[in-house]
Amino acid sequence: TSGNGLQSKHNVSVNGSKGGTKYLFSVGYLSQDGIVEKTNYDRYDYRLNLETKVRNNLTLSVKLAGNFSDQNSPAMMSTENSVGGFDAILRAATEANATEPGAKSDGTYGTHMGHPTASAGLNSPSFQDNKNTYSMDNFSFEWKIIPELKLTTRLGYDINYQKGDNYSSILSWDNQTVVQGPSKLQVNTSNNKNLTLDSYFDYEKTCSSRHYL
């Protein structure tokens, strides 16, 4: 079964400056429908860049960026009665002969070596849903203590949270027997965080037209 394969992307951005402040803000949205039914991908993203002179010798900079994505696809109970994903459907589709039927008019499905064809998985309630949230934030300030001496401090923080739901429904393809089951739900999560902080001094002094310190 085929999807429409359509894709759309939208972006809105604003940038400018006022006084000692420069800014840029943007948001975006991406939508993709797969060429296989029930497959789709959505992503939302944002970005903010801000730089302002708090005082003549002090500059503050903020950079924020991140995105949220959601990917969905059909799934299928594997032949080992374990939680299977979209790969189980692809395997069933590539292993079966082209002469073997998919969905039949009586509601049953064709088989290959005792296992259902890919149509049984595509028409089942089984699914994969993978969500990802990513954020990367940076803050920095630059302080000219004296014309020759400058202090720069930077703070960075990023986070990546992932959650995957994989549901494999019990499979019945001949209205009589249930070979693959029971239904199973597998949930996987990961959460990674990183924090960095660095600070350094720059000293530049012109001793003459040819010598620098």
Side-chain angles (χ1 to χ4, degrees), residues 3-190:
N4 57 41
L6 295 178
Q7 173 178 307
S8 63
K9 187 174 183 180
H10 310 276
N11 289 283
V12 177
S13 64
V14 178
N15 65 85
S17 62
K18 183 177 181 180
T21 301
K22 294 184 290 185
Y23 60 88
L24 180 147
F25 176 70
S26 67
V27 291
Y29 171 65
L30 171 66
S31 175
Q32 293 177 325
D33 290 327
I35 59 174
V36 176
E37 186 182 20
K38 299 181 182 178
T39 59
N40 58 77
Y41 176 78
D42 294 292
R43 188 184 71 213
Y44 304 85
D45 54 77
Y46 68 91
R47 177 177 297 275
L48 172 65
N49 293 346
L50 179 67
E51 183 179 296
T52 183
K53 276 189 171 293
V54 181
R55 299 176 60 182
N56 289 336
N57 63 339
L58 183 62
T59 302
L60 175 66
S61 176
V62 177
K63 295 182 179 181
L64 310 177
N67 61 70
F68 169 77
S69 62
D70 187 6
Q71 183 175 19
N72 294 277
S73 64
M76 184 178 184
M77 182 77 72
S78 73
T79 55
E80 295 80 18
N81 288 348
S82 60
V83 175
F86 188 48
D87 57 321
I89 294 179
L90 293 177
R91 187 165 57 249
T94 56
E95 290 178 353
N97 295 324
T99 57
E100 293 169 347
K104 301 179 183 179
S105 58
D106 62 357
T108 62
Y109 297 89
T111 60
H112 173 72
M113 299 181 66
H115 300 293
T117 54
S119 296
L122 285 173
N123 294 334
S124 77
S126 302
F127 67 86
Q128 273 186 310
D129 183 7
N130 296 312
K131 293 181 171 64
N132 182 71
T133 301
Y134 178 72
S135 176
M136 181 174 63
D137 307 322
N138 290 279
F139 307 88
S140 67
F141 77 86
E142 185 179 286
W143 178 26
K144 280 194 173 185
I145 303 171
I146 57 176
E148 296 85 6
L149 181 62
K150 179 176 65 177
L151 170 64
T152 301
T153 298
R154 296 183 297 190
L155 173 68
Y157 179 73
D158 66 81
I159 181 172
N160 189 11
Y161 176 73
Q162 296 177 324
K163 180 176 183 290
D165 297 332
N166 193 336
Y167 174 67
S168 291
S169 172
I170 196 168
L171 269 181
S172 176
W173 53 88
D174 60 5
N175 289 337
Q176 295 178 358
T177 60
V178 176
V179 177
Q180 293 172 207
S183 300
K184 299 178 182 180
L185 174 65
Q186 180 176 294
V187 180
N188 298 309
T189 61
S190 67

